[in-house]
């Protein structure tokens, strides 16, 4: 029998141009795709997230076959399925005569450790190819970070602008004269504005089969399958990309930080699940955004704001994830120990901002950035929830969540668990910010203007309690000088009432 190269394609490697496939001969290669219990259950992923990944994998396998590749696809309910990647590699080595394994590096430490064992375990040479779907290589990020006291995203982002040439003029200067238009990304929205809707893709036969499988096997996982809306093929993802570029991008800049009751998507792209699993190419998308700006179709604050998220934040958090190492997930700078409240899994709370963000998360496996950062993240931060528990929740519930991108965003940016590597100050706020950026407070049973008493918005006392609780660790932070000045100028009776109010609330959680 002819010897073959075994090329495993993981669930977030659904791109046509995977580095593991480059230069390989189709008749000498077997591509292995595996639905395995271990990946679906190492945390309890949202049902719609698993359905999305399995359906996208099955569709991608068909595309690869139609392009002439041999794809061996192991379904979750195959009676011989061993339940793990390593177990499936072992079985594949029995089905074929394999002389080598080639794989693109995985997106998390857990899987990389597994892959690095295969060579000894199977006594077959294993080639691990770099994942070239990212703009910065690991080395480029590390070279940039080397010797710096602070690793601020903004400066790394400028490097990425220079490397890609996106939104640079002929002299290599940033379009419009400034690198960053963040200050023009903070308009609150009004509910009477016309909002584009993302396309809702009706589940086809493959998706329906997968949804039945998920409903049966993962009934105890969070979330619902009833509102499944994801694209599951490259073509569908491209349709959603078009929808966003033509109908939402122009307003994306203005309303990037806005929140409205009953409006989960606003002007966001809803593209992260497709970018992260490989259905869409991030650089191609950014190039198209830059072209729309050049053609005068979208304003600079929209184009720059969007491109910054992808070539700036997305690349930067990946760099931090790999640079900081596998112990990053265990960090807990503020020593926060409280368990995650049950309502994160039900949405059952009378704090409207939280019930909105969590409710839509459980329905759609989606929430936009400011909901993740300033509602669910902010609450967990100021309530002193264990950042590891918060990290697990985010990894479970969002369709775009893989550890390399979720962990630095959650533990670092949102929970300040890394002590300020990513965020220069904790993203903590009282109800005031939520009231400014959303319409939630007008319909909430709490009063955002009150700090004490039964009707007081819980975010208010919790915010001051958070600052007081962490004074030793945070008071030296220059960016918190103002709130600490306000806190220290408060009458001690007021301070005590705020802290007692926060305590009473936390005990009821
Ligand atoms: P848009 O608002 O349309 O933004 C465009 C694109 O920019 C996104 O599709 C995404 O690819 C990229 N992007 C924006 N912000 C970030 C960021 N901070 N980090 C990386 N990429 C970014 N994003 C994930 O992809 N996976 C996660 O698991 C994830 N977890 C998060 C957890 C927390 C606590 C926070 C605060 C943010 C998290 N983000 C995560 C970032 C961001 O919230 C999502 O990328 C975004 O909400 C996805 O929706 P969208 O595609 O409509 O994004
Ligand atoms: C997230 C996920 C899930 C739920 N299931 C699978 C699976 O059955 N098979 C697979 O190849 N990948 C899955 N994934 C994505 C992997 O967890 C992902 O490839 C790793 O986290 C590396 O980033
Ligand atoms: Fe949230 Fe407080 Fe506003 Fe209610 S009043 S929606 S709890 S910020």
């Amino acid at each position: 029998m002819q010897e073959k190269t075994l090329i495993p394609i993981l669930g977030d490697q659904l791109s046509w141009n995977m580095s593991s496939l480059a230069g390989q001969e189709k008749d000498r290669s077997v591509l292995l795709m595996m639905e395995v219990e271990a990946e679906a259950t190492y945390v309890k992923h949202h049902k719609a997230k698993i359905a999305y990944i399995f359906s996208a994998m099955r569709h991608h396998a068909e595309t690869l076959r139609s392009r002439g590749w041999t794809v061996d696809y192991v379904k979750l309910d195959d009676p011989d399925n061993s339940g793990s990647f390593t177990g499936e590699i072992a079985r594949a080595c029995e089905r074929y005569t394999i002389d080598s394994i080639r794989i693109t590096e995985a997106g998390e430490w857990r899987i990389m450790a597994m892959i690095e064992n295969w060579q000894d375990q199977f006594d077959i040479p294993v080639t691990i190819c770099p994942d070239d779907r990212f703009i910065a290589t690991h080395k480029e990020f590390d070279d940039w970070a080397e010797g710096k006291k602070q690793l601020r995203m903004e400066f790394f982002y400028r490097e990425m602008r220079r490397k890609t040439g996106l939104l640079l003029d002929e002299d290599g200067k940033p379009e419009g004269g400034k690198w960053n238009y963040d200050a023009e990304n903070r308009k609150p929205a009004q509910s009477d504005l016309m909002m584009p809707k993302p396309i809702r893709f009706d589940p086809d036969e493959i998706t329906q089969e997968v949804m039945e499988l998920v409903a049966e096997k993962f009934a105890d996982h969070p979330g619902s399958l009833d509102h499944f809306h994801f694209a599951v093929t490259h073509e569908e993802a491209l349709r959603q990309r078009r929808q966003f570029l033509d109908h939402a991008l122009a307003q994306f800049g203005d309303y990037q930080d806005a929140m409205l009751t009953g409006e989960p998507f606003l002007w966001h792209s809803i593209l992260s699940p497709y970018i992260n699993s490989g259905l869409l190419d991030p650089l191609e998308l950014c190039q198209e955004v830059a072209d729309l700006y050049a053609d005068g179709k979208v304003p600079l604050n929209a184009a720059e704001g969007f491109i910054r998220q992808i070539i700036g934040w997305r690349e930067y958090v990946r760099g931090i994830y790999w640079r900081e190492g596998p112990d990053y997930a265990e960090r807990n700078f503020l020593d926060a120990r409280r368990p995650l409240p049950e309502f994160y899994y039900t949405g059952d709370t009378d704090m409207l901002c939280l019930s909105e963000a969590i409710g839509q998360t459980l329905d759609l496996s989606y929430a936009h950035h400011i909901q993740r950062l300033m509602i669910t993240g902010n609450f967990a931060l100021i309530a002193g929830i264990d950042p590891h528990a918060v990290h697990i929740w985010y990894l479970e519930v969002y369709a775009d969540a893989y550890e390399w991108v979720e962990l630095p965003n959650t533990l670092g940016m949102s929970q300040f668990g890394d002590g300020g590597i990513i965020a220069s100050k904790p993203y903590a706020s009282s109800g005031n910010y939520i009231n400014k950026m959303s319409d939630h407070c007008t319909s909430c049973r709490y009063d955002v203007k009150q700090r004490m008493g039964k009707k007081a918005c819980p975010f208010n006392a919790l915010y001051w309690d958070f600052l007081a609780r962490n004074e030793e660790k945070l008071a030296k932070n220059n960016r918190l000088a103002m709130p600490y000045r306000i806190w220290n100028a408060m009458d001690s009776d007021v301070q005590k009432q705020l802290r007692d109010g926060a305590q009473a609330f936390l005990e009821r959680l």
Side-chain angles (χ1 to χ4, degrees), residues 12-15 17-18 131-135 277-278 282 315:
D12 55 355
Q13 299 186 342
L14 309 183
S15 309
N17 57 345
M18 288 309 300
D131 192 340
D132 55 12
R133 297 173 297 170
F134 291 91
I135 293 154
S277 62
E315 293 284 327

Side-chain angles (χ1 to χ4, degrees), residues 111-235:
I111 307 291
M112 280 308 282
M114 209 182 278
I115 294 172
E116 278 159 7
N117 272 329
W118 289 348
Q119 182 144 323
D120 289 344
Q121 221 165 334
F122 301 116
D123 199 18
I124 293 176
V126 176
T127 305
I128 303 175
C129 314
D131 192 340
D132 55 12
R133 297 173 297 170
F134 291 91
I135 293 154
T137 63
H138 296 306
K139 181 169 182 320
E140 280 169 336
F141 187 85
D142 290 344
D143 286 351
W144 170 78
E146 195 53 43
K148 290 199 172 54
K149 261 198 183 152
Q150 287 193 318
L151 302 180
R152 291 289 161 250
M153 192 287 294
E154 177 60 26
F155 299 107
F156 174 70
Y157 165 55
R158 292 179 192 179
E159 294 297 311
M160 294 299 98
R161 288 272 294 278
R162 289 191 189 100
K163 179 167 183 189
T164 57
L166 287 164
L167 297 181
L168 296 188
D169 65 19
E170 282 156 11
D171 304 326
K173 298 256 161 46
E175 286 289 350
K178 282 198 300 182
W179 289 100
N180 184 318
Y181 291 83
D182 195 22
E184 292 172 37
N185 296 148
R186 295 179 193 149
K187 262 196 196 172
Q190 295 78 40
S191 52
D192 57 354
L193 286 168
M194 283 295 288
M195 256 162 267
K197 291 271 178 274
I199 304 171
R200 182 176 173 166
F201 296 92
D202 287 331
D204 66 1
E205 235 173 76
I206 293 181
T207 305
Q208 282 174 26
E209 192 185 310
V210 161
M211 283 164 74
E212 279 168 31
L213 179 74
V214 170
E216 188 201 322
K217 300 272 185 199
F218 307 111
D220 63 335
H221 284 220
S224 158
L225 286 164
D226 296 344
H227 312 268
F228 191 88
H229 58 108
F230 293 116
V232 291
T233 64
H234 293 265
E235 293 71 21

Side-chain angles (χ1 to χ4, degrees), residues 351-353 431 434 440-441 444 446-448 457-459:
M351 291 174 275
L352 186 64
C353 52
I434 298 168
H440 298 323
C441 302
C444 181
Y446 294 106
D447 181 348
V448 72
C457 165
F459 281 79

